[in-house]
Amino acid sequence: MQFDMKNETILKLGLPKGSLQDAALAKMAKAGFNISVSSRSYVPYVDDEELMIRLIRAQEISRYVEHGYLDCGITGYDWIKENDSDVHEVGEFIFSKATSQPARWVLAVPENSTIKSVKDLEGKRIATEVVNITKRYLRKNKVKAEVEFSWGATEVKAHELVDAIVEITETGSSLRANKLRIVDTLMISTPRLIVNHEAWKDEWKRKKIETLAMLLKGALEAETKVGVKMNVSQENLPKLLQSLPALRNPTVSTLSQDGWVAVETLIDERVVRELIPQLKALGAEGIIEYPLNKVVY
Amino acid sequence: MQFDMKNETILKLGLPKGSLQDAALAKMAKAGFNISVSSRSYVPYVDDEELMIRLIRAQEISRYVEHGYLDCGITGYDWIKENDSDVHEVGEFIFSKATSQPARWVLAVPENSTIKSVKDLEGKRIATEVVNITKRYLRKNKVKAEVEFSWGATEVKAHELVDAIVEITETGSSLRANKLRIVDTLMISTPRLIVNHEAWKDEWKRKKIETLAMLLKGALEAETKVGVKMNVSQENLPKLLQSLPALRNPTVSTLSQDGWVAVETLIDERVVRELIPQLKALGAEGIIEYPLNKVVY
Amino acid sequence: MQFDMKNETILKLGLPKGSLQDAALAKMAKAGFNISVSSRSYVPYVDDEELMIRLIRAQEISRYVEHGYLDCGITGYDWIKENDSDVHEVGEFIFSKATSQPARWVLAVPENSTIKSVKDLEGKRIATEVVNITKRYLRKNKVKAEVEFSWGATEVKAHELVDAIVEITETGSSLRANKLRIVDTLMISTPRLIVNHEAWKDEWKRKKIETLAMLLKGALEAETKVGVKMNVSQENLPKLLQSLPALRNPTVSTLSQDGWVAVETLIDERVVRELIPQLKALGAEGIIEYPLNKVVY
Amino acid sequence: MQFDMKNETILKLGLPKGSLQDAALAKMAKAGFNISVSSRSYVPYVDDEELMIRLIRAQEISRYVEHGYLDCGITGYDWIKENDSDVHEVGEFIFSKATSQPARWVLAVPENSTIKSVKDLEGKRIATEVVNITKRYLRKNKVKAEVEFSWGATEVKAHELVDAIVEITETGSSLRANKLRIVDTLMISTPRLIVNHEAWKDEWKRKKIETLAMLLKGALEAETKVGVKMNVSQENLPKLLQSLPALRNPTVSTLSQDGWVAVETLIDERVVRELIPQLKALGAEGIIEYPLNKVVY
Amino acid sequence: MQFDMKNETILKLGLPKGSLQDAALAKMAKAGFNISVSSRSYVPYVDDEELMIRLIRAQEISRYVEHGYLDCGITGYDWIKENDSDVHEVGEFIFSKATSQPARWVLAVPENSTIKSVKDLEGKRIATEVVNITKRYLRKNKVKAEVEFSWGATEVKAHELVDAIVEITETGSSLRANKLRIVDTLMISTPRLIVNHEAWKDEWKRKKIETLAMLLKGALEAETKVGVKMNVSQENLPKLLQSLPALRNPTVSTLSQDGWVAVETLIDERVVRELIPQLKALGAEGIIEYPLNKVVY
Amino acid sequence: MQFDMKNETILKLGLPKGSLQDAALAKMAKAGFNISVSSRSYVPYVDDEELMIRLIRAQEISRYVEHGYLDCGITGYDWIKENDSDVHEVGEFIFSKATSQPARWVLAVPENSTIKSVKDLEGKRIATEVVNITKRYLRKNKVKAEVEFSWGATEVKAHELVDAIVEITETGSSLRANKLRIVDTLMISTPRLIVNHEAWKDEWKRKKIETLAMLLKGALEAETKVGVKMNVSQENLPKLLQSLPALRNPTVSTLSQDGWVAVETLIDERVVRELIPQLKALGAEGIIEYPLNKVVY
């Protein structure tokens, strides 16, 4: 089952196993690549004969891409940096939708700790899953402290077992529930598509990767956009278009009813809740919003 | 963590916890408000800084809105009435889609009971979760009977422990499975957006609530509508439009193929299954139906 | 609760219970028939008073359709043949989307078995869930072998308990995991809508079934198609349309921006990943892909 | 299925449904009554033809025992008092083993609340599931406050929606996790076997209930006791027996080895961890501890 | 992985996979054979190098024992008869404890069916999982009826799809819930240890199987027995022993307290609930009941 | 919540969180310490006021014991060595019962790898969770190879991503399922009770730990032993005792039946299955085996 490294019409892609797995497979599906994970979950089936997928822990993907065991992979910026991997980065992909804040690695201490800034860590002990990132951060801040690897449940350690932790968070609610206070942010991390340098020089692989990146980007872009369509009288049309720059380059079509046109365009899903009341105020009627699968500019 | 009641640019919204919770959060998401419930499920995160959400049992929301602990909330008409809460009602929202029948509180007895109408309840015992609604119903019908609060599993009690029950049902299948017969309907209940009277007088809050109501209504409306698009020869167009009043105010666009136009409009999802065969019979081709996120007239 | 066989405005439809159930109900919902399965899962509720649904094992549906206990049903081609049922077949429906390969019943043996073709089965023992299909296959190949019914977990038996198995597979990954080798394919099976011969002669039932088939086909067709819309300069339009036959009969609409048009059409979801790079190369901009509920030609 | 109230050789027993159900059925099994709950969980099967069991919410059992719909039942002391039920109480049974503290209903407030004693509740609002117990407690303390029924999740309400709560707790850990402080204890509650007054006068029923109580008590007693057996030289025996009053009335048997005897007795499971080191110090050897099913003095 | 049939110091044992699996493994563990099922559940690990275990559906075990693929197996009497397998039967083992009634295959019809006895089945259709047992039963009763194999959910078929069913039941509660009436009992079935005739002639295998049977029987016997120990005055001893024949051949030991003895014996777990009150009445004190692992007479 | 290190009558004990957690808590319960894990699982409740328990990953316990944040802990020998922790080891406790083989860290390679011994690893890459143990093993064998930390799912890596792995196994079945071959065993690991050196010098803590160790050892010992009791005629007694040295120092009691005695003793659970047939052959009757909670010699 050893990879045949000479086969240049197979692209070996690593996807993150575990907590990011479902999101990654869902994005791949939206990009047009249907993946089914059988009982032996490490080697899933994908409906593209030019693609070979491996499910690997996000922490390790960059290492295997760097060494060429994989041509490319999707993993977090944090683990690329933690592993200090020398890889080519093709693009950034925001997977999460539930919250508007990206994942951050933060320095946190008990609410009532006397530690107020990184300088107060001098001589202290810190537990974290990202030992290298933390050590680099301390060096940059000229602070000497002991950093120890945490196998998990890092948050509970801050109260008794160490002086501070470096932990990942999105909304901060888990830190608050553990009565921890954020002192500083070390790194903001988002998923990246990374490529082995040799693979990137191979024309066929590079083209395959660029197409994959375009489709993935199109799928992710589509999650933040919606299609909007509305009817407006020709009389109100100029004011509507002028007042609302969010309505970029709309399609304008004739309606069967005289004097009315249909206006259609894409807008950011996040402005919809403010835009719709404005559209109504400017005379739009029959406003509909519909979902998108992909958006490629 | 006490609410700061003076802050007038925060809207406090109660959403129903429990069986309605997933539906309510899904509707809010369709309306454009992404809510993520962390481990401490009472205080979820929402991606709108002007909104503060509390997850509370549907039975209690109207009470806290009435007293001003919440500015507004979504709960069932039944519990507003059971609590006899003095609140302002902004709108009605049908959440359920699985069945076409709304939730009803009904008087039910064993299939072979001698109770045939409310009058036969004189001197009997009734178990229910809605004690006040039931007592009011009996008073209105001039019947004297004992009403006792049921903590749940009300349906099994009708055979041995009481003479009748007042229970909620949609399709009636659970009542039938328990060999119960419906005698009368006390109340039909649907979800409502209710507002505290003081909050409704506050201009900023009222506007925020009205926008929320519009977006929610748009999201719910979209669940009962679909977009339909088809190609038709210009020759057949008039007859098509004339015969099918369901095709309200369609958009008509030119096709690249001469003599043909594209017709697009919204229709009720429930008539699609009858409409499509008719459209085909009238010469429509390439009929497609697509989903909608919001519909705001 | 006995079916009233005289009622000619009720269509009795059997749907597969078990592994195919969720898929079947989802397809029915996309076709416009919302079904809710209560605790007594055999008799679900459907929001169409002319329809009566029974959930029955896929293996048995054709038997009850043949005998007239059901008017029609959806089940696999394999079980129609295994039961040798005399029914009218209205249409074929591909349910699965995860993989591009349909379900196949294959003859499989241990990787290191000496059995290389059906001829080598002479005098051997075969375990399978489809005893009749397997016996017919052996007769056709003039091979004498013992066929025994397998109650499940057929794959593990091939190594110790029998000489070969006939088992269903899609991607073959479960066979590979069990170290089995495929020797031959006996049958490819897809879901079918089948009708009792008497029911098919009844005008009302036939019309109801044809509408159901049209809507189901439209829903399934929609799963393999997507809507695509893009902007293109009038200059580039002819070349774009000419180069890409996949863009069948598109709608062309005026854009508010001079010299540009919007092109909209349906395409196979499976070609999107190749088409989008080509569209970009030919000057298309603002390409969007959106999902469909139904496609009826 | 109506109870035949004239049948005097059937005892109708109500057991608590829900959180206490598994514990109650396990204790009944230890007492020698095997109960199997089928899908219709209200009427379980029991392997005693003289027993008829109903699973009912703990909150309601005393009400139905009082009215004679049940002859007897097992429920908490709290709900007997909350319902103010006039029933005969046969015995107290401690079900829980995980913690050594019984369930308590406590008055709790936010950690930083100014409420320090019941007197500070004057004019405040209290949420609780035990409205009557709470109102009686306030009357006894001559405090006027509003008490409202809480449908659940009472703990989160104390911070925003009311001033105090009355809630049940064992170890207090859930209250601490919600940052609440216990102000007072209203009631300690344990499971009780209660009997309808009429049933208690019936000789056959009374005898049946007394046997049930004896067996249940024996099973519960056995959970707090263990059997202990050890070898000791006849020389050391007197000192051992004298020093350890916990070794009540032991059996002393001859060992095959001369000069040694075996000593066997019951002791409280809770003292084992202190007793064993003492036994060893006093010369005991081969100490074994074994589990018990029932202990009836 | 083919069995090496020449190895005469390995015993190949088939255990039932599926609903009986957990019970079977638990009984084997009580007999002293610890089995751990890894992910590939067909070949579990057992801590006895002379034993090789296969997990196979209960329906199929007798077939593979008969043909010698397994030396022996544990399966139900029903499936041995359904398969008409020629095997040697070593013993009967009652696995279930929850209910006192063994599994029965019964003929059942809708409550309001006109079928009152087997004779009324003439010309009818019957669905069942045990086609051969049912056909033999009909032949014996000289009734001609059609018997069809049911793939499951047999109970719901009796109302619409066939005239009667033959189904397995213990307490009958599932039949009652489906409103079915039992007409006749075809067979009572219990688990059996069966052996291949050749294997039974092999001395080593026979001895191994007999030991296995003895240990299993001892483990199962222990589930229906308990140890009982009590103190009684020497004065009361004769009457106690004489009155209670259930106290077979007890051990009588001296107590440290003068004039008292300890009496210890085994009794049926099912009589405990009647015996304990009698023992107390006869002057026994400190009665304890303790569990057993094995009982071998 | 900081530990008060001066409090000398509190013993701080770390127990392994995760896969070993349930086993560890069960053993503690058998030892007499009932622990209940609430929602905040790091700080469980224990019914001993002198004990403070923390649930920590097995990988980290030795580190916190070494540094004095915990007085003592239970963890695997492997992680003590991996962390190279300087702690006092009090005892070894075998937790697992399912299999008779202890956990081993083994060097494994694909079945068809050319690596036959540790020497063949020269210049290769090895993935493992125990980087330090593996490096030490290589040094000892004078082999130079790259060792990289594996975050999990190590077994699938051996085929494509590295040349060999060092992984933990009990029965080896998971390695076989992944088609891996064991080359060498690096370490056998069992749970240990370890103590901080300072804590061990504290008299109160040392005594508390020794008691805990004695009770735990007694509980674990009891899992490998059973009590056995049988009746034998006085005539057969000498031969029985002489032939079976496993019957160490039994208790011999008089039976009520003349000429018979009861013999009772402890034996290894693992020899029961061989011993019982021998006992029967030697004339023993009414053999019973019963479970034990603790055995302290």
Side-chain angles (χ1 to χ4, degrees), chain D residues 28-45:
Chain D
M28 286 295 287
K30 290 195 99 174
F33 300 90
N34 294 302
I35 297 168
S36 72
V37 181
S38 75
S39 55
R40 296 188 57 225
S41 65
Y42 166 63
V43 184
Y45 169 88

Side-chain angles (χ1 to χ4, degrees), chain D residues 29 31-34 36 38 40 45 47-48 211 214-215 229 241 249-253 264 266 290-297, chain E residues 97-101 171 173 177 226 229 231 253-257 262 269-270 272-273 276-277 280 285-291:
Chain D
F33 300 90
N34 294 302
S36 72
S38 75
R40 296 188 57 225
Y45 169 88
D47 63 349
D48 180 346
T211 300
M214 178 196 291
L215 293 167
K229 208 181 297 190
L241 296 181
N249 196 18
T251 314
V252 178
S253 324
E264 181 168 9
L266 299 193
Y290 58 90
L292 305 171
N293 284 347
K294 286 199 195 69
V295 173
V296 178
Y297 293 116
Chain E
K97 198 190 170 182
T99 63
S100 51
Q101 296 145 291
T171 64
S173 68
V226 289
K229 208 180 296 191
N231 297 341
S253 324
T254 321
L255 278 179
S256 58
Q257 191 183 352
E269 195 262 346
R270 305 192 51 180
V272 171
R273 63 195 195 204
I276 285 182
K280 284 214 62 169
E285 293 189 5
I287 305 165
I288 71 163
E289 176 198 319
Y290 58 91

Side-chain angles (χ1 to χ4, degrees), chain D residues 179-226:
Chain D
K179 303 186 189 179
L180 299 177
R181 173 167 43 84
I182 295 178
V183 175
D184 199 1
T185 295
L186 280 73
M187 174 182 285
I188 287 173
S189 179
T190 52
R192 309 289 167 101
L193 175 56
I194 54 173
V195 189
N196 174 275
H197 286 301
E198 284 306 307
W200 192 241
K201 290 176 192 154
D202 177 295
E203 193 180 357
W204 182 88
K205 288 186 180 176
R206 185 173 184 153
K207 187 140 176 285
K208 182 87 186 168
I209 291 166
E210 284 174 338
T211 300
L212 173 63
M214 178 196 291
L215 293 167
L216 261 180
K217 204 173 270 296
L220 292 167
E221 187 71 25
E223 296 197 345
T224 66
K225 295 274 185 297
V226 289

Side-chain angles (χ1 to χ4, degrees), chain B residues 60-296:
Chain B
E60 300 176 328
I61 285 179
S62 73
R63 188 204 286 164
Y64 294 118
V65 169
E66 180 182 12
H67 293 168
Y69 292 91
L70 299 169
D71 291 318
C72 55
I74 294 178
T75 186
Y77 179 70
D78 42 7
W79 296 111
I80 304 169
K81 288 299 157 196
E82 174 68 13
N83 293 332
D84 202 16
S85 298
D86 183 14
V87 293
H88 179 79
E89 194 183 310
V90 175
E92 182 181 14
F93 302 100
I94 311 296
F95 273 18
S96 172
K97 200 190 169 181
T99 64
S100 51
Q101 295 145 292
R104 297 172 290 154
W105 287 93
V106 298
L107 173 67
V109 296
E111 282 171 3
N112 56 3
S113 164
T114 57
I115 297 172
K116 305 294 183 195
S117 83
V118 57
K119 295 301 182 193
D120 302 328
L121 291 177
E122 189 70 35
K124 305 290 192 194
R125 288 161 50 90
I126 306 163
T128 183
E129 281 183 82
V130 288
V131 169
N132 293 330
I133 289 171
T134 303
K135 285 182 171 167
R136 245 177 272 142
Y137 166 76
L138 291 174
R139 268 201 303 278
K140 206 186 65 188
N141 285 283
K142 300 191 168 53
V143 170
K144 279 192 180 133
E146 199 174 335
V147 182
E148 64 188 35
F149 179 65
S150 171
W151 289 80
T154 312
E155 283 160 345
V156 301
K157 293 174 187 157
H159 289 283
E160 290 184 340
L161 303 175
V162 293
D163 302 295
I165 63 171
V166 171
E167 180 58 327
I168 197 162
T169 187
E170 289 187 14
T171 64
S173 68
S174 174
L175 292 173
R176 274 193 302 277
N178 279 286
K179 303 188 189 177
L180 299 178
R181 172 168 44 83
I182 295 179
V183 174
D184 199 1
T185 295
L186 280 73
M187 175 182 286
I188 289 172
S189 178
T190 52
R192 308 290 166 101
L193 176 56
I194 54 173
V195 189
N196 172 274
H197 287 302
E198 283 308 304
W200 192 241
K201 287 176 192 156
D202 177 295
E203 194 180 354
W204 181 88
K205 289 186 179 174
R206 182 171 185 155
K207 189 142 173 285
K208 183 85 188 170
I209 291 167
E210 284 174 337
T211 301
L212 174 62
M214 179 195 288
L215 293 167
L216 260 181
K217 203 172 269 299
L220 292 167
E221 187 71 25
E223 294 197 344
T224 66
K225 294 274 184 299
V226 288
V228 171
K229 209 181 296 192
M230 71 208 74
N231 296 342
V232 67
S233 68
Q234 256 156 341
E235 194 180 356
N236 285 332
L237 183 61
K239 203 169 70 188
L240 187 93
L241 296 181
Q242 189 182 332
S243 312
L244 297 171
L247 301 177
R248 289 171 303 188
N249 197 18
T251 315
V252 177
S253 323
T254 320
L255 278 179
S256 57
Q257 190 185 354
D258 269 351
W260 284 76
V261 292
V263 176
E264 182 167 9
T265 191
L266 300 192
I267 60 172
D268 278 2
E269 195 262 346
R270 306 191 50 179
V271 306
V272 170
R273 63 195 195 204
E274 285 139 38
L275 192 66
I276 284 182
Q278 294 173 298
L279 291 175
K280 284 215 61 171
L282 289 162
E285 294 188 2
I287 305 165
I288 72 164
E289 176 197 319
Y290 58 91
L292 305 171
N293 284 345
K294 286 198 195 72
V295 174
V296 180

Side-chain angles (χ1 to χ4, degrees), chain A residues 72-77 80 87-95 189-195 200 209-210 212-214 216-218 220:
Chain A
C72 56
I74 294 177
T75 186
Y77 179 69
I80 305 169
V87 293
H88 180 78
E89 194 183 310
V90 176
E92 182 181 12
F93 302 101
I94 311 297
F95 273 18
S189 178
T190 52
R192 308 290 165 100
L193 175 57
I194 55 172
V195 190
W200 192 241
I209 291 166
E210 284 175 336
L212 173 62
M214 179 195 289
L216 260 180
K217 203 173 270 297
L220 292 168

Side-chain angles (χ1 to χ4, degrees), chain A residues 143-169:
Chain A
V143 170
K144 279 194 180 131
E146 201 174 331
V147 181
E148 63 187 38
F149 179 65
S150 171
W151 290 81
T154 312
E155 283 161 345
V156 301
K157 292 174 187 159
H159 289 284
E160 289 184 342
L161 303 174
V162 293
D163 302 295
I165 63 170
V166 170
E167 181 58 326
I168 199 162
T169 187

Side-chain angles (χ1 to χ4, degrees), chain A residues 231 234 251-263, chain B residues 249-254 262 264, chain C residues 253-254:
Chain A
N231 297 341
Q234 254 155 342
T251 314
V252 179
S253 323
T254 321
L255 279 178
S256 57
Q257 190 185 354
D258 269 350
W260 284 75
V261 292
V263 176
Chain B
N249 197 18
T251 315
V252 177
S253 323
T254 320
E264 182 167 9
Chain C
S253 324
T254 320

